[in-house]
Amino acid sequence: MTQTRQGKEFKIIGQGIPRVDSVERVNGKAVFSADLTLQGTLHGKILRSPYPHARIKRIDAAKALQLPGVKAVITGADLPPLVQDTANVGGETAVQAGYMRQFLLAEDRALFHGHPVAAVAATTPQIAEDALSLIEVEYEPLPVVDDILEAMKPDSPVIHPELRTKSLAGASKDPTNVALHVVAERGDLAKGFEDADLVIEREYFVDMVHQGYIEPQACTVVVDSDGHMTMYNSTQAAFRQKIQIATLLDMPQSKVKVVPLEIGGGFGGKSPTVPELPTALLALKTGQPVKTVLSRTEVFLATGPAPDSYSYVKIGAKRNGQITALQAKYVLNCGCVPGAGLTINNILVGYSLYKAGAFRFDGYEVVTNKSRTLPYRAPGMPNGAFAIESAMDELAQALGIDPLDLRILNASEDGDIMTDGKKLPSTGLKATLKQVKAHPAWASPLLPGRGRGVAVGMRLEGAGVSSAHITANTDGTFNLVIGSVDLTGTRTTMVQIAAETLGIDVSDISVSVGDTDSVGFTDGSWGSRITYVTGAAVLKAAQETLRQLKERAALRLRVEPSAIEYRDRVFYVADNPEQRISLADLCRANVGQGAGAIIGYGVAGGMQLVSSLAVHVGEVEVDRETGKVYVVKYTAFQNPGLAINPVEVQGQMQGGAAQGVGWALWEGYYWNKGQLVNANFLDYRMPTFLDLPMIDAVFVGEPAKEGPLGVRGVGEISIVPPLPAIGNAISAATGVRMTQAPMTSQRVLSALQQHNGGSSS
Amino acid sequence: MRQRRLLGLEVNGTAAQIAVDPSQTLLQVLRDELSLTGTKEGCSNGNCGACTVLVDGVSVLSCLTLGMEMEGKSVLTVEGLAQGTRLHPVQQAYIEEAGLQCGYCTPGLIMSTVYLLKRIPNPTEQEIRLNLAGNLCRCTGYDKIIRSVQSAAKMLQEVQS
């Protein structure tokens, strides 16, 4: 398949070439953070609170320090005073510096089960582990706030006495657990509901889940004699983490270098630092490199899962399906410190899918005695979509309208004012819905006993800044350095963009992910922004490289640069093509000579946001005796814009859908009074090979009008539709409406029993 | 400190004699004592399969196996599959069919695939799913891994015929 953009035919862009870094990923040579061991490395282990909320009255590490091999113990007392309580040290994972510090290492109080209270550095991991049990901590248990709705009640214990509710109205007066209240309103809601022929009103619950990356967080921190700190770690956001560590340790940012190693999955969960802070304190204290590798239990307990939520949706519609009023309320758990990233805003913007006569949205972020929560692939949006897309399905059922027709009727159009007051960019929503309706995934006859469900997700992407640069070598090959960590294929995609622009082969250019000393500031690998924003930076870097090359060619050929043309690795004078110099000869003659290096620098930021849209169709069978749901067929439609590497895009669509199906059916945190009881892969049930069908990934839509390449973000949107798509399919198969995710066998069975009981009485 | 003991085993075709802590798992012996970090730790309790290696040709979770149990045995890790720069067909197939994204679960999956195709040279989709169900992957949704295994099966059969 050849891709074109504005009539230009691409040779490399649009090809599903294999990953440029794949050999080291299949032969075990790729270096992930836990694989690095520097000379003289000590091993760090973290002692964690068994209580979800407790005062720390005393910590005595004397016995641990006597154990041979133990080099240091740190506690919250080793933290320097917080000089700058910066409002947002997280970037996308917005959090105030003081709260971030409080989450990463407890001082006077343990705020959640698993909260770090001390850390040990020892000569072997085994000794460090042994030493943890020798640290004496005296706790005084405090009342536990373990439920978001309880936390909002006026008589709930308050976790942070200084916390006030932030809203447009200003800060609230009294102490509270409600950190944020977002309101959006349009039209006359009461009248909208009065005008409706039918009103659907429902509550939904979504459990807390984990991103589930297979690689646990790991880091090595080393401080040299002049006080320069280097942090080798598994991160999605090297530059943001540099800022965080420098702020929390009161160091100049010039003395902190983050070297991102290969990352074994992140999905939002590896955006902020986690083990890096206690490890840095150990490195400062011992003067030796310290390496900390988290266990799977620690990953579940204390790295930052995705928020659980409560939501309420009320839709009023005319008999023909036209929505007259739409009201939604969401409560999201930000865990023990305020700041659940952009979840509420994401959910709000997601509501821009449909025109509603009148609209009211209330979003709350609430603190509880649980781990701080973090983004997980389209942060908050699966929680958002589960409510509205289930309610839309129920409305369609009640009105006897095809659920796709109901959505087509109410679909927003390009340029409509969104729920946040901005203008909706091009989405192709209506055309996509019509395409899905005609596709066999929706239109083909359904086998008996099966149910089919559809759901939609939409978000806006492309924020933040990215940097990249390209240098020319004397043999006509090139090196590309990017500031974006490669989660799954970034290097390859970026090489495709650079090679296409420079008119060379993929094999003529090598790419590396820079550390924070060797490339310009680049925001995190989050928000589906890499191909769109970093891609734009790489494009600029390549164009600038080519411009410099033409300038050098002009000097050689003694003409003005504007007279130079470039094709098939040859620079030539436009009106006299015999006057020419090859790319390799030009590089050989010029690079490292008097004229200096050829370096094309590219930066992109402040770009117009671009939409991404996904429509999923799930097909299920439900075992009515056990409540078990079998996903027998799954089709993901998505608009990727111009797909630089269609194979990688498919991979993103399939992976996101699989995670969403996992959340829809099996995944969730189980709690006992604030204590997490399923912190392992056996009891926290992620999808295995046996749980999923092949996932059909179908591209729809047009290249984006926004951005220089026509690409759209692709990574995140595919986790949004699965929860409601599966719920709607269960409803179609059984007549039972699920309002709590995950829709486990137990929950489905109990809903079936209630349904049957209800109908027989 | 625990007393170290001598362990004699063969790793990727080479005989080795090393002093290990008897509490060390095979995974720790491979990674920490032999610097073979291709074998990954994902959970340490046998749930994720990232640490899969072959012991005397049989797939084993190295995080649940003590190093000392390896006396006289032959261990094959992901580092031992390629012959020089020539990749094993299973490795090649994972690259060509894009059967990996972050690549962290990949060594374990490749070892499980090698073991599967040794026993069932031409597996059905269901046989692939059943035999690889002990390996978790969070990135791919498994679709392209299954295609990789199918492609590897074809490649291996062509090599043999």
Side-chain angles (χ1 to χ4, degrees), chain A residues 377-395:
Chain A
R377 209 170 195 152
M381 299 202 70
N383 311 56
F386 185 53
I388 175 65
E389 290 298 297
S390 297
M392 286 293 281
D393 197 67
E394 201 170 342
L395 181 65

Side-chain angles (χ1 to χ4, degrees), chain B residues 112-132 145-154 156-157:
Chain B
S112 291
T113 305
V114 168
Y115 182 57
L116 161 66
L117 295 181
K118 219 169 68 172
R119 287 173 303 131
I120 312 174
N122 194 13
T124 62
E125 184 193 322
Q126 197 49 31
E127 284 171 325
I128 296 171
R129 290 187 180 278
L130 198 61
N131 281 278
L132 298 186
I145 298 179
I146 289 167
R147 293 174 203 276
S148 304
V149 177
Q150 288 164 339
S151 162
K154 271 196 206 120
L156 280 164
Q157 279 170 330

Side-chain angles (χ1 to χ4, degrees), chain A residues 394-551:
Chain A
E394 201 170 342
L395 181 65
Q397 278 173 351
L399 292 167
I401 301 177
D402 179 291
L404 279 164
D405 283 335
L406 178 68
R407 288 172 173 86
I408 292 165
L409 176 71
N410 290 288
S412 291
E413 284 161 73
D414 301 354
D416 278 2
I417 300 299
M418 295 192 295
T419 48
D420 66 350
K422 295 177 188 136
K423 266 194 184 171
L424 185 68
S426 67
T427 63
L429 174 60
K430 250 183 208 178
T432 301
L433 292 168
K434 285 179 184 163
Q435 217 174 325
V436 173
K437 202 186 162 203
H439 192 278
W442 184 254
S444 66
L446 197 59
L447 292 175
R450 289 190 180 181
R452 200 175 269 163
V454 66
V456 187
M458 188 275 295
R459 63 183 245 119
L460 300 188
E461 297 159 338
V465 175
S466 287
S467 307
H469 59 263
I470 295 172
T471 51
N473 298 303
T474 58
D475 59 356
T477 64
F478 295 84
N479 287 89
L480 165 65
V481 184
I482 52 174
S484 292
V485 174
D486 186 345
L487 291 172
T488 55
T490 298
R491 289 184 183 92
T492 310
T493 310
M494 295 306 130
V495 161
Q496 286 181 266
I497 293 170
E500 181 81 51
T501 312
L502 289 168
I504 55 174
D505 291 339
V506 163
S507 56
D508 293 328
I509 183 160
S510 288
V511 57
S512 46
V513 175
D515 61 53
T516 55
D517 278 7
S518 59
V519 65
F521 178 87
T522 299
D523 256 304
S525 293
W526 57 44
S528 295
R529 56 178 297 280
I530 299 308
T531 310
Y532 186 66
V533 185
T534 307
V538 169
L539 178 70
K540 280 188 194 170
Q543 287 166 339
E544 170 59 16
T545 306
L546 199 55
R547 191 194 64 75
Q548 291 177 20
L549 285 165
K550 279 183 179 171
E551 217 170 64

